[in-house]
Amino acid sequence: IQEYKYFLDKLGHQVDIFNNKDVNGVIDKINNGNYDFVHLHAYEFASQFNKSLEQKYCFSCHNGYFFKQDKWEEDFKEGFQHYLNAPGIIALSNPTKNIFIKAGYSGYISVQINGIDTQKLNFKEEGNNKAICLGWIQPRKQQRLLAETIDGKLGLDFVGPLDDPNFKEGTTTKHLGIWGLKQVYNNLTAYNCLVLISNGEIAPLVVLEAMAAGLCVVVSESASANLHSKEFIKVLPDDILTNATAENKKIVCDTIIDLIEKNKSFRQEIVEHVRENFDFSYIIKNYIQIIDDFSKFDY
């Protein structure tokens, strides 16, 4: 969201960000602010926005289990009905858009893919022949299962807050703690491959950040939104870690090892691919078009 503000400000727009849990206070500020466009990212606010906001707005959903309705928590199930009454929806991928449409949504809807400022990522010509799993360590992201599958077969570092009491380090699977954003931007390029075999994602930024640093990526289907079919991107089934057959374990290990080995020859191509398709200087054009289209939408 901060990147959107930065790039929109550069283009002459004036952007305010309200990061406040007081929904009524936020609504009062918007109602008194004479804004041309409002974009809501907090799904728990949708109901009150529908009731009290005096202008139309667009909503985006970031729930990691959005594609897994059997895993929706009660508050999200209840909230989903309010999302369908939002004047506009900005989906993070076409599959996300399709879920809203199949649920009967009839307002304005468009797709805006996630993007990053690729210039912030450090880049080196060679990696350290290791893989990294970067992000909150929790059951949804399946790092514990990944570590158990990989340990002893290749070097895999885990970085992020530890929120899974069952996660354990092994001989070649290490938890390096938590990195700040500057460390992420500087350190990612030391690796050859990012691994994110998660059971629930919507459009993870870390995948784009890794590619901007020159890494190949091995991701689950849930984590593959908006990615292209490329030799340096491998997509595995969400359940390949839970359905832990000997064959599936071998597929996971072999896939990561293969991309680590191939990474050196792909690194520059990967960076160019991300800059051409996911850099904010590219995706911001579509966002501005959405703002223009939504302003003309009769709700």
Side-chain angles (χ1 to χ4, degrees):
I1 294 174
Q2 290 289 349
E3 297 287 10
Y4 272 103
K5 174 175 170 55
Y6 173 75
F7 278 87
L8 287 168
D9 283 346
K10 278 179 62 176
L11 294 171
H13 300 271
Q14 182 181 344
V15 181
D16 292 330
I17 297 172
F18 298 128
N19 187 16
N20 191 316
K21 293 183 179 180
D22 177 11
V23 61
N24 292 316
V26 170
I27 288 173
D28 286 343
K29 288 180 180 179
I30 296 173
N31 285 341
N32 294 322
N34 194 30
Y35 290 96
D36 297 310
F37 180 71
V38 177
H39 189 176
L40 173 67
H41 295 268
Y43 66 78
E44 63 271 24
F45 281 13
S47 172
Q48 198 62 34
F49 265 50
N50 290 341
K51 293 177 185 175
S52 305
L53 200 68
E54 295 173 0
Q55 68 178 92
K56 59 187 181 182
Y57 73 95
C58 280
F59 167 74
S60 287
C61 179
H62 299 268
N63 188 304
Y65 276 136
F66 186 72
F67 298 112
K68 305 283 179 71
Q69 293 192 28
D70 60 314
K71 295 185 179 294
W72 287 7
E73 295 181 354
E74 284 304 316
D75 63 336
F76 191 79
K77 288 179 183 177
E78 294 173 10
F80 187 74
Q81 299 307 313
H82 299 297
Y83 315 152
L84 298 179
N85 293 321
I89 287 176
I90 299 176
L92 300 184
S93 67
N94 278 308
T96 308
K97 174 183 175 181
N98 292 338
I99 287 178
F100 281 112
I101 292 174
K102 287 179 181 177
Y105 183 73
S106 59
Y108 173 87
I109 189 164
S110 188
V111 174
Q112 173 69 14
I113 65 172
N114 265 339
I116 59 171
D117 183 354
T118 59
Q119 299 301 316
K120 290 185 175 181
L121 275 295
N122 186 25
F123 174 73
K124 294 180 180 178
E125 294 289 341
E126 293 188 27
N128 57 9
N129 294 318
K130 292 175 67 176
I132 183 171
C133 183
L134 174 63
W136 203 284
I137 298 173
Q138 55 188 189
R140 173 171 62 87
K141 293 180 181 289
Q142 304 188 130
Q143 291 100 329
R144 175 183 66 83
L145 299 176
L146 177 62
E148 292 172 357
T149 300
I150 292 300
D151 190 41
K153 301 175 181 68
L154 61 102
L156 175 60
D157 289 339
F158 293 83
V159 176
L162 187 55
D163 193 27
D164 184 347
N166 296 316
F167 176 87
K168 292 181 175 59
E169 292 184 308
T171 55
T172 64
T173 52
K174 301 299 181 182
H175 180 224
L176 304 187
I178 302 171
W179 287 352
L181 205 52
K182 287 185 178 179
Q183 288 176 292
V184 170
Y185 292 159
N186 187 64
N187 297 348
L188 260 179
T189 194
Y191 293 85
N192 293 77
C193 182
L194 175 95
V195 185
L196 181 58
I197 308 178
S198 172
N199 190 38
E201 300 288 339
I202 196 160
L205 282 173
V206 67
V207 175
L208 305 182
E209 291 167 342
M211 291 197 294
L215 280 67
C216 298
V217 296
V218 176
V219 297
S220 58
E221 289 178 279
S222 284
S224 67
N226 305 317
L227 298 182
H228 301 78
S229 178
K230 295 287 183 179
E231 288 187 69
F232 47 80
I233 298 170
K234 296 297 182 184
V235 180
L236 300 176
D238 284 3
D239 66 351
I240 198 165
L241 293 174
T242 53
N243 182 20
T245 63
E247 181 183 4
N248 280 347
K249 289 180 179 180
K250 186 175 188 301
I251 289 171
V252 172
C253 293
D254 288 352
T255 301
I256 298 171
I257 290 170
D258 181 54
L259 287 194
I260 287 175
E261 292 174 351
K262 292 179 177 178
N263 177 248
K264 184 177 180 180
S265 61
F266 283 128
R267 283 176 84 87
Q268 191 61 52
E269 180 185 347
I270 296 169
V271 172
E272 291 171 2
H273 172 73
V274 177
R275 288 177 179 170
E276 291 171 2
N277 293 281
F278 298 100
D279 190 84
F280 255 101
S281 61
Y282 171 75
I283 69 160
I284 202 69
K285 299 171 186 175
N286 184 68
Y287 192 72
I288 291 171
Q289 186 62 53
I290 288 173
I291 294 173
D292 186 53
D293 292 345
F294 185 63
S295 69
K296 300 171 185 174
F297 181 75
D298 187 16
Y299 176 72

